[in-house]
Amino acid sequence: MVCAGAGGVGKTTMAAALAMGAAAGGAKVAVVTIDPARRLAEALGLEELGNEPRRIAPERFAAHGVVLEGELWALMLDPKRTFDELIERLAPDARTRDEVLSNRIYAQLSQAVAGSQEFSAIAKLYELHAEGDFDLIVLDTPPSRNALDFLDAPERLTGFFQGRALKVFLRPAGFGGRLLGRGTGVAFGVLRRVTGVDLLEDLSVFFRALSGMIGDFVTRADRVAALLSDPGTTFLIVTSPRHDPVEEAIFFHRKLREAGMPFGGLVVNRMHVAPELERSGDEASGRGRCAGELSAALGGLAGRVATSAAELVALAARDAANVAHLRAVLGDPPLLVVPERQDDVHDVEGLAHVRAHLWEEA
Ligand SMILES: Nc1ncnc2c1ncn2[C@@H]1O[C@H](COP(=O)(O)OP(=O)(O)O)[C@@H](O)[C@H]1O
Ligand SMILES: [Mg+2]
């Protein structure tokens, strides 16, 4: 299950709450988190985790009244480490492996290639899936500006390895050869003397070592991409009920469909809920009612409380309208709503609240 969506809408929170809920229900679950807030990571003991899933002690949940019938395993993704592991697996021999891993160009590239964080997230998903040890794997997605970055990642990386840029480097008499031409040769020589970094040597070692692995790398990226369209995969689009994330969710949903990837449903997170004012039978605006009821008790503060209540009513109406629009455009998809909490969701108790909303309406 892939939790995707715009930045900051609650993907990491949902991934954790869903994994916890499924584990509570008896499944053996792994959650791959990417950028949990520090306090959430602490609450789950994620900080002590490496790049392999480890079981979270059930006591952490029991202390907050959450009983896990199943097991919850978690890892915090280390993109660089995941990339390194991939090289280790694909390298034909130990020497090539070490050459690549210790190479300065590789060190830069493995972090900087556009989408490498996204790619390593999917690569990790692929490995966990191939090991076949879990009933459910929940994948948080990186904090990209655009959710689409995630879908494009394998293709973009494959494109890089098959692309012209790399071919030019790898051709015997290509760029590498030309680098040795007089002008550039001198430039690199100066650079080496000034910086102490032999860029040319780094470049040629890197590309020579990598050239033998490109075929396997591309095959791997293809398989990783295929897992995303596997019927066993489900994309959950997480969004907030604000205008921009809703539009992005609609766009992302369309892209998912076009790419033939399985869409499972939507979670609308941080929904404003109007205060319950109608209990008194007064149908007047929130502001009028609140002001009347509270003024005696609160004096001057009452006006501000009333204004605040009126604002909340307006926000709730706006959110409801955005969600109605979302439902209409997507043809009434499976959709769960999680209200905005006063506090961040940074501990097991917060997750338990979120989970209650996810399961209550499921
Ligand atoms: N329903 C909610 N109510 C209040 N705060 C929330 C809610 N859901 C998430 N948050 C908070 O919003 C922030 C962003 O959530 P996060 O899950 O990290 O988003 P993303 O992974 O999409 O960037 C976090 O501080 C989180 O605790
Ligand atoms: Mg996140």
Side-chain angles (χ1 to χ4, degrees):
M1 177 178 284
V2 182
C3 295
V9 292
K11 298 180 291 293
T12 302
T13 305
M14 287 310 143
L18 282 162
M20 188 184 88
K28 183 174 178 186
V29 187
V31 57
V32 179
T33 58
I34 306 223
D35 63 335
R38 202 174 53 80
R39 282 202 293 173
L40 182 63
E42 261 168 31
L44 296 177
L46 283 172
E47 286 171 324
E48 302 131 40
L49 299 183
N51 204 30
E52 291 301 319
R54 297 230 199 111
R55 188 169 174 191
I56 304 182
E59 295 79 48
R60 283 187 189 268
F61 301 97
H64 298 271
V66 178
V67 180
L68 301 188
E69 300 285 339
E71 297 175 17
L72 182 54
W73 295 61
L75 73 85
M76 190 150 60
L77 186 79
D78 178 343
K80 171 89 174 94
R81 188 72 216 116
T82 305
F83 237 93
D84 291 353
E85 283 163 6
L86 196 56
I87 296 289
E88 281 162 20
R89 213 160 283 141
L90 296 181
D93 51 60
R95 200 175 137 253
T96 313
R97 179 198 63 202
D98 295 341
E99 261 181 359
V100 174
L101 291 183
S102 63
N103 190 274
R104 264 184 296 245
I105 306 288
Y106 168 76
Q108 291 297 318
L109 215 59
S110 58
Q111 314 233 28
V113 169
S116 67
Q117 198 183 23
E118 283 82 0
F119 180 79
S120 56
I122 310 170
K124 197 75 210 175
L125 178 69
Y126 176 83
E127 272 158 39
L128 293 178
H129 169 73
E131 285 161 16
D133 226 16
F134 296 98
D135 302 319
L136 172 68
I137 304 167
V138 182
L139 178 66
D140 179 19
T141 51
S144 326
R145 257 188 322 114
N146 186 328
L148 277 185
D149 288 348
F150 185 76
L151 293 184
D152 292 345
E155 208 172 298
R156 225 170 327 130
L157 213 64
T158 312
F160 170 78
F161 280 109
Q162 292 178 321
R164 288 220 351 248
L166 208 55
K167 291 223 176 78
V168 169
F169 269 111
L170 293 173
R171 253 201 321 259
F175 188 53
R178 263 185 278 138
L179 283 179
L180 295 167
R182 278 196 75 206
T184 34
V186 170
F188 274 105
V190 170
L191 206 72
R192 187 182 51 217
R193 273 204 305 283
V194 173
T195 64
V197 176
D198 192 345
L199 211 55
L200 193 56
E201 171 68 10
D202 271 338
L203 270 173
S204 62
V205 167
F206 175 65
F207 287 115
R208 183 165 37 75
L210 203 67
S211 62
M213 295 163 53
I214 288 185
D216 289 340
F217 201 99
V218 170
T219 311
R220 178 73 171 211
D222 286 347
R223 278 206 227 134
V224 165
L227 179 61
L228 290 186
S229 10
D230 190 281
T233 303
T234 284
F235 277 86
L236 207 65
I237 301 181
V238 184
T239 183
S240 81
R242 320 290 180 264
H243 177 270
D244 289 359
V246 160
E247 290 307 318
E248 190 168 336
I250 290 170
F251 184 66
F252 188 62
H253 175 264
R254 200 176 75 222
K255 290 291 167 187
L256 271 185
R257 269 233 310 262
E258 285 168 9
M261 293 182 184
F263 165 68
L266 284 151
V267 176
V268 179
N269 184 31
R270 314 193 74 154
M271 184 89 170
H272 287 106
V273 181
E276 287 177 37
L277 300 168
E278 53 289 307
R279 250 178 299 151
S280 70
D282 186 341
E283 294 300 316
S285 79
R287 190 174 200 291
R289 250 213 19 86
C290 256
E293 200 169 271
L294 292 173
S295 56
L298 295 174
L301 211 59
R304 269 148 66 192
V305 171
T307 305
S308 184
E311 276 168 9
L312 193 52
V313 169
L315 283 176
R318 183 204 62 181
D319 285 359
N322 285 337
V323 172
H325 170 64
L326 185 62
R327 275 190 203 274
V329 174
L330 299 194
D332 208 10
L335 186 148
L336 300 174
V337 172
V338 176
E340 167 88 3
R341 279 169 51 85
Q342 230 153 28
D343 261 350
D344 271 4
V345 183
H346 52 72
D347 54 14
V348 173
E349 210 187 312
L351 289 179
H353 272 102
V354 173
R355 171 199 156 207
H357 285 285
L358 293 174
W359 261 261
E360 158 196 304
E361 300 182 34

